[in-house]
Amino acid sequence: MFQLFLSLGIVIFINIISTFVFTRFDLTSEKRYTLSPATKDLLKKLDDVVYVRVYLDGDFPAAFKRLKNASKEMLDEFRAYAGDNLQYEFINPNANNDPKERDKLYKQLMEDGLQPTDLNTNEKGSKSVQRIFPAALFTYKSNVRKFPVQILQTRLIGSPEELLNNSIEALEYQFAKAIKQLTVINKPKIAFIDGQGELDTLTTYDISRYLEDFYVVDRVTIDGQIHSLKDYKAIIIAKPDSAFNEKDKFVIDQYIMHGGKVLWLLDRMRASMDSLNGKPQTVSIDMNLNLEDQLFHYGVKINPTLIQDLSCAPIPVITGRIGSRDKTELEPWYYYPLSFPIINHPIVNNLNGVKFEFASTIDTVRVPDVRKTVLLSSSEFAKVLYTPVLISLNIMRDKPDPKLYTDRFKPLAVLLEGEFTSNYKNRIPKTIAQDSAIDYKARSVPNKMIVVSDGDIIRNHLGKQRGSIIPLGYDISTKQTYGNRDFILNSIDYLCDDSGLITVRSKELKLRLLDTNKVDDERTKWQLINLIAPALFIILFGVIRNYLRKRKYAV
């Protein structure tokens, strides 16, 4: 009796303490239920209700049920810190039996930015297709603001189990990012640089539209004005085609020294598919952007080369005629490398393959106090071509010899972090160096930048209809969506994020799968064990129990 009262007393005492002290215990090896400090801080600061509608309810296969359960568990974790300021519900978009009402809901969800997925099912030998929405809609302050989240991630490569695991890994970041976007009051300002033939508003329309969810996006012409960039958190230099003058370079240099972030998207070689229109070959030469010395001081060198890669995107090629019509087939175009991330970094973790167009190689330079991280590279079967490069469509006629593609994992995108040295250190007159209006710095504050050896990585193509935009990363020939948009968004987030929320993307959950070969080999054995063992255990228990009863009550 004493032990009973003692146990009750301990339970009551723990409950009283828990009302004053909040704590949670995560016993998983990868801490899958432990939210990052940035996420906790974001949730604790909520001043109004964020309502989440998750469209993952219904009769789904086991994989989607796992995704649903993981989403619910993550939202419950969010509620533990946000309290009543986070509410959610799970909705079955197929619950309505009226086709018209169901189609009306589908249309509304797609207008809100949720993307459907067609799920093939096979029940009792009858195949059917069910349209589902593995996504969530976050709303804030009584539906005044909305933000869609695609819960199910897609990739060009990977098994269904890996894709599901990637989706679960991304839940915290996706949900926290949605809440941050809804609750932000003053958006940081970023700018596209103009003046050297950079990509225009039309060819950067798609990425600008997505960046505007989180940033104020402007376009700036420096024109030698020393303070032209001071109000911007980051700048994007997207595919310039002419040389920078020293005044603009100095402005960019001092912008970096004072903490400004730069996303460099540069073509070193002049090459495009337009130059092949009507002719089978063209020559690619050095662009000479007059940025080589500046980038060298920061820690990288973009080489006057082009990459050919066996891991590449195809292009449509006319291979003959059928009657009066041209016959078109997709052929691999080795100048369009597909880069699949091979490191676990917040910018590229779980990222789909990124499509490059006429990319150059990047060398890292030993610079004190600057750390280099290769974010994207060529595949292990690549070949480096040096200027001048003859680009010919004839390379698609013959099957390539892998023995010639031995340049492995050449860097195409590099992150630089640390304290940078000014390109103009010991090069400018004292009058400029000591001018308080210029506020010259020879060494930067801790800073970071990203250098990519292809400007087309951010360019959205244009449709045949005037003014129509093809989404960034979407290949109209293959119907594939590459990871270009996500890479740019992640890059800007990483450069501008002071809260540390972007680091959540590097969270990794271990995928513990059964050995399928062993399962097939030992299937019968384990089926028999599972069927017979429980029955034998019950019989043995009955025999022993009967023996003990007879022994106890025997006269």
Side-chain angles (χ1 to χ4, degrees), residues 371-385:
R371 184 173 71 256
K372 299 96 178 174
T373 304
V374 177
L375 300 173
L376 295 171
S377 62
S378 65
S379 75
E380 60 181 325
F381 300 105
K383 180 166 64 173
V384 178
L385 306 176

mmCIF file of all heavy atoms in Angstrom, residues 371-385:
data_model
loop_
_atom_site.group_PDB
_atom_site.id
_atom_site.type_symbol
_atom_site.label_atom_id
_atom_site.label_comp_id
_atom_site.label_asym_id
_atom_site.label_seq_id
_atom_site.Cartn_x
_atom_site.Cartn_y
_atom_site.Cartn_z
ATOM 1 N N ARG A 371 36.801 30.201 -46.373
ATOM 2 C CA ARG A 371 36.479 28.781 -46.518
ATOM 3 C C ARG A 371 35.676 28.565 -47.802
ATOM 4 O O ARG A 371 34.733 29.309 -48.087
ATOM 5 C CB ARG A 371 35.668 28.305 -45.304
ATOM 6 C CG ARG A 371 35.365 26.805 -45.316
ATOM 7 C CD ARG A 371 34.728 26.339 -44.030
ATOM 8 N NE ARG A 371 33.356 26.797 -43.869
ATOM 9 C CZ ARG A 371 32.982 27.779 -43.072
ATOM 10 N NH1 ARG A 371 33.884 28.447 -42.371
ATOM 11 N NH2 ARG A 371 31.724 28.130 -42.973
ATOM 12 N N LYS A 372 36.069 27.550 -48.566
ATOM 13 C CA LYS A 372 35.392 27.261 -49.832
ATOM 14 C C LYS A 372 34.615 25.957 -49.732
ATOM 15 O O LYS A 372 35.135 24.961 -49.236
ATOM 16 C CB LYS A 372 36.376 27.163 -51.001
ATOM 17 C CG LYS A 372 37.177 28.436 -51.269
ATOM 18 C CD LYS A 372 38.521 28.381 -50.610
ATOM 19 C CE LYS A 372 39.325 29.641 -50.917
ATOM 20 N NZ LYS A 372 40.598 29.679 -50.157
ATOM 21 N N THR A 373 33.386 25.958 -50.227
ATOM 22 C CA THR A 373 32.549 24.761 -50.264
ATOM 23 C C THR A 373 32.017 24.584 -51.677
ATOM 24 O O THR A 373 31.327 25.476 -52.201
ATOM 25 C CB THR A 373 31.363 24.866 -49.289
ATOM 26 O OG1 THR A 373 31.841 25.123 -47.968
ATOM 27 C CG2 THR A 373 30.549 23.575 -49.291
ATOM 28 N N VAL A 374 32.341 23.469 -52.310
ATOM 29 C CA VAL A 374 31.820 23.186 -53.648
ATOM 30 C C VAL A 374 30.379 22.694 -53.510
ATOM 31 O O VAL A 374 30.121 21.624 -52.960
ATOM 32 C CB VAL A 374 32.686 22.134 -54.373
ATOM 33 C CG1 VAL A 374 32.083 21.796 -55.733
ATOM 34 C CG2 VAL A 374 34.113 22.653 -54.544
ATOM 35 N N LEU A 375 29.449 23.490 -53.998
ATOM 36 C CA LEU A 375 28.030 23.161 -53.888
ATOM 37 C C LEU A 375 27.568 22.243 -55.016
ATOM 38 O O LEU A 375 26.806 21.305 -54.797
ATOM 39 C CB LEU A 375 27.197 24.443 -53.887
ATOM 40 C CG LEU A 375 27.467 25.439 -52.750
ATOM 41 C CD1 LEU A 375 26.686 26.726 -52.983
ATOM 42 C CD2 LEU A 375 27.095 24.820 -51.403
ATOM 43 N N LEU A 376 28.008 22.545 -56.229
ATOM 44 C CA LEU A 376 27.610 21.761 -57.404
ATOM 45 C C LEU A 376 28.836 21.503 -58.263
ATOM 46 O O LEU A 376 29.726 22.356 -58.381
ATOM 47 C CB LEU A 376 26.557 22.513 -58.228
ATOM 48 C CG LEU A 376 25.200 22.764 -57.552
ATOM 49 C CD1 LEU A 376 24.346 23.702 -58.407
ATOM 50 C CD2 LEU A 376 24.462 21.459 -57.293
ATOM 51 N N SER A 377 28.868 20.341 -58.871
ATOM 52 C CA SER A 377 30.005 19.981 -59.720
ATOM 53 C C SER A 377 29.518 19.133 -60.886
ATOM 54 O O SER A 377 28.352 18.702 -60.927
ATOM 55 C CB SER A 377 31.059 19.213 -58.908
ATOM 56 O OG SER A 377 30.510 18.002 -58.413
ATOM 57 N N SER A 378 30.413 18.896 -61.819
ATOM 58 C CA SER A 378 30.097 17.986 -62.917
ATOM 59 C C SER A 378 30.047 16.563 -62.378
ATOM 60 O O SER A 378 30.355 16.307 -61.215
ATOM 61 C CB SER A 378 31.162 18.104 -64.008
ATOM 62 O OG SER A 378 32.421 17.644 -63.506
ATOM 63 N N SER A 379 29.676 15.625 -63.217
ATOM 64 C CA SER A 379 29.648 14.223 -62.801
ATOM 65 C C SER A 379 31.070 13.651 -62.864
ATOM 66 O O SER A 379 32.028 14.356 -63.192
ATOM 67 C CB SER A 379 28.714 13.417 -63.700
ATOM 68 O OG SER A 379 29.328 13.181 -64.965
ATOM 69 N N GLU A 380 31.190 12.371 -62.599
ATOM 70 C CA GLU A 380 32.507 11.735 -62.674
ATOM 71 C C GLU A 380 32.907 11.431 -64.115
ATOM 72 O O GLU A 380 34.032 10.999 -64.377
ATOM 73 C CB GLU A 380 32.511 10.448 -61.846
ATOM 74 C CG GLU A 380 31.499 9.407 -62.298
ATOM 75 C CD GLU A 380 31.542 8.171 -61.425
ATOM 76 O OE1 GLU A 380 32.639 7.814 -60.973
ATOM 77 O OE2 GLU A 380 30.476 7.574 -61.202
ATOM 78 N N PHE A 381 31.988 11.657 -65.064
ATOM 79 C CA PHE A 381 32.300 11.428 -66.479
ATOM 80 C C PHE A 381 32.150 12.746 -67.239
ATOM 81 O O PHE A 381 31.127 12.997 -67.881
ATOM 82 C CB PHE A 381 31.383 10.360 -67.072
ATOM 83 C CG PHE A 381 31.488 9.024 -66.391
ATOM 84 C CD1 PHE A 381 30.494 8.585 -65.542
ATOM 85 C CD2 PHE A 381 32.602 8.221 -66.588
ATOM 86 C CE1 PHE A 381 30.587 7.356 -64.908
ATOM 87 C CE2 PHE A 381 32.715 7.000 -65.957
ATOM 88 C CZ PHE A 381 31.709 6.560 -65.109
ATOM 89 N N ALA A 382 33.171 13.587 -67.136
ATOM 90 C CA ALA A 382 33.143 14.895 -67.780
ATOM 91 C C ALA A 382 34.450 15.132 -68.520
ATOM 92 O O ALA A 382 35.454 14.450 -68.297
ATOM 93 C CB ALA A 382 32.895 15.993 -66.750
ATOM 94 N N LYS A 383 34.409 16.119 -69.400
ATOM 95 C CA LYS A 383 35.599 16.467 -70.167
ATOM 96 C C LYS A 383 35.695 17.984 -70.233
ATOM 97 O O LYS A 383 34.700 18.672 -70.512
ATOM 98 C CB LYS A 383 35.531 15.866 -71.574
ATOM 99 C CG LYS A 383 36.741 16.189 -72.441
ATOM 100 C CD LYS A 383 36.800 15.320 -73.691
ATOM 101 C CE LYS A 383 35.641 15.556 -74.617
ATOM 102 N NZ LYS A 383 35.805 14.826 -75.908
ATOM 103 N N VAL A 384 36.887 18.522 -69.986
ATOM 104 C CA VAL A 384 37.117 19.966 -70.005
ATOM 105 C C VAL A 384 37.707 20.361 -71.353
ATOM 106 O O VAL A 384 38.712 19.786 -71.805
ATOM 107 C CB VAL A 384 38.071 20.388 -68.862
ATOM 108 C CG1 VAL A 384 38.339 21.883 -68.936
ATOM 109 C CG2 VAL A 384 37.477 20.012 -67.506
ATOM 110 N N LEU A 385 37.085 21.368 -72.000
ATOM 111 C CA LEU A 385 37.560 21.897 -73.275
ATOM 112 C C LEU A 385 38.063 23.321 -73.060
ATOM 113 O O LEU A 385 37.402 24.124 -72.398
ATOM 114 C CB LEU A 385 36.432 21.896 -74.308
ATOM 115 C CG LEU A 385 35.723 20.551 -74.537
ATOM 116 C CD1 LEU A 385 34.579 20.728 -75.516
ATOM 117 C CD2 LEU A 385 36.708 19.504 -75.038
#
